[in-house]
């Protein structure tokens, strides 16, 4: 929300509104790259250290345990987001 006010102020005070466009573009880029990249990196590091836990082994995707549904992660666990599970957050 502060970026909105900063962009509005820059658009009002600048003849060409170049600063407001730069502010919007930069702000959105940082939000996307940090908002998605940082948590994903932290989860990847966690799974590389922790490995599969009993809770992970018991988690199911469409009724199938993760170890069977995602054989590439068998024996090492992983940060998995099954397709379609992000719709409620968007």
């Amino acid at each position: 929300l502060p970026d909105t006010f900063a962009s509005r102020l820059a658009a009002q005070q600048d003849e060409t509104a170049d600063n407001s466009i730069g502010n919007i573009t930069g702000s959105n880029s940082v939000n996307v790259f940090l908002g998605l990249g940082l948590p994903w990196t932290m989860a990847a590091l966690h799974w590389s250290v922790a490995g599969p836990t009993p809770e992970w082994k018991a988690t199911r995707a469409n009724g199938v345990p993760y170890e069977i549904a995602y054989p590439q992660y068998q024996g090492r666990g992983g940060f998995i987001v099954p397709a379609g599970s992000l719709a409620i957050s968007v």
Side-chain angles (χ1 to χ4, degrees):
L1 199 56
D3 292 330
T4 304
F5 294 119
S7 294
R8 179 175 178 255
L9 188 63
Q12 288 174 336
Q13 293 179 353
D14 192 14
E15 188 175 305
T16 60
D18 287 346
N19 288 333
S20 63
I21 300 300
N23 186 39
I24 291 168
T25 305
S27 174
N28 286 342
S29 298
V30 168
N31 290 343
V32 168
F33 294 137
L34 288 180
L36 294 176
L38 191 60
W40 199 278
T41 301
M42 290 170 57
L45 291 172
H46 166 77
W47 284 110
S48 69
V49 172
T53 61
E55 181 183 6
W56 184 87
K57 291 178 182 178
T59 304
R60 298 179 174 274
N62 298 325
V64 180
Y66 273 4
E67 274 198 313
I68 296 170
Y70 303 99
Q72 67 271 29
Y73 294 106
Q74 191 167 2
R76 57 188 182 102
F79 182 53
I80 298 172
V81 181
S85 63
L86 293 177
I88 196 161
S89 69
V90 177

